[in-house]
């Protein structure tokens, strides 16, 4: 099967898929798209994803967008984490949904304020408003990880990849209180995984605007 992933390696949503591919030991070509690479504005790309967002997976013409859908598809096809264990899979899904609805929105708002927007367009009011939301979400993760090794339980799952893909930038920007001991213990465990080191713990300087 010929598998291609469209998306720039600096995107956290692309990183989630790259890390998943690494965990599953699946081969995949990658085409840079989005950000400074452009391409998402072309008609060709709109036919792949009408939202003009990355990542997009193409498997012999089967085209799929939305990072979490892509991760689940890859894991299901490769007999990855959660396959054949419906409750583990459901618990992992719960934390993946939490990531996309509760953790990622305040993180992205803060990331734009601290990194992506030029100084003149930053708004301290956004930082003040969204920081408590991120703190609350990280507190929920910390409480969970105080009782389990990984987010879904004893096993590493896609939930750890989904939420864990944000952790490099969150900690690098000093947004995770040092008192969140379980969260930091989990983050260190993620750091021992080659896929995290190769695809997530990477520079985001190309995204910075002065
Ligand atoms: N919910 C989507 C979000 C996709 C998304 O917003 N991707 C961003 C990058 S993280 C994007 O394509 N931005 C436009 C660009 O990079 O040019 C997913 O998880 O795949």
């Amino acid at each position: 099967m010929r598998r291609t992933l469209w998306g720039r390696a600096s995107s956290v949503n692309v990183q989630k898929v790259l890390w998943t591919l690494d965990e599953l030991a699946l081969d995949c070509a990658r085409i840079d798209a989005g950000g400074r690479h452009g391409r998402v504005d072309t008609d060709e790309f709109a036919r792949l994803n009408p939202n003009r967002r990355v990542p997009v997976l193409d498997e012999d013409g089967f085209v799929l967008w939305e990072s979490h859908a892509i991760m689940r598809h890859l894991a299901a096809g490769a007999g990855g984490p959660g396959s054949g264990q419906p409750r583990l899979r459901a618990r992992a899904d719960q934390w993946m949904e939490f990531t996309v609805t509760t953790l990622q929105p305040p993180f992205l708002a803060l990331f734009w304020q601290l990194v992506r927007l030029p100084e003149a367009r930053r708004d301290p009011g956004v930082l003040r408003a969204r920081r408590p939301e991120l703190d609350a979400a990280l507190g929920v993760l910390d409480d969970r990880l105080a009782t389990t090794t990984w987010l879904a339980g004893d096993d590493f799952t896609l939930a750890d990849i989904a939420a864990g893909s944000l952790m490099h930038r969150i900690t690098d920007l000093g947004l995770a209180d040092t008192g969140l001991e379980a969260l930091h213990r989990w983050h260190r465990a993620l750091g021992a995984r080659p896929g995290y080191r190769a695809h997530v713990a990477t520079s985001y300087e190309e995204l910075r605007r002065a």
Side-chain angles (χ1 to χ4, degrees), residues 24-100:
L24 299 170
L26 295 174
D27 288 331
C28 187
R30 187 175 63 80
I31 297 176
D32 268 323
R36 66 188 169 94
H37 304 282
R39 277 208 170 102
V40 292
D41 292 332
T42 63
D43 291 345
E44 181 196 10
F45 192 85
R47 280 191 289 277
L48 294 172
N49 183 357
N51 299 304
R52 300 184 185 277
R53 290 277 187 272
V54 294
V56 177
L57 180 74
D58 183 344
E59 278 183 351
D60 288 337
F62 172 69
V63 175
L64 196 62
W65 38 266
E66 283 298 336
S67 55
H68 290 189
I70 296 170
M71 292 161 72
R72 290 177 176 119
H73 167 69
L74 291 170
S83 310
Q85 297 178 75
R87 288 192 174 178
L88 178 63
R89 166 75 195 260
R91 189 64 71 207
D93 279 345
Q94 171 197 289
W95 287 107
M96 291 175 81
E97 294 299 310
F98 167 85
T99 297
V100 86

Side-chain angles (χ1 to χ4, degrees), residues 91 95 140-155 160 182-183 185-186:
R91 189 64 71 207
W95 287 107
V140 170
L141 285 179
D142 186 62
D143 285 347
R144 170 63 175 170
L145 291 162
T147 63
T148 55
T149 305
W150 302 107
L151 276 178
D154 294 336
D155 299 295
D160 299 292
L183 183 82
R185 187 267 308 150
W186 171 68

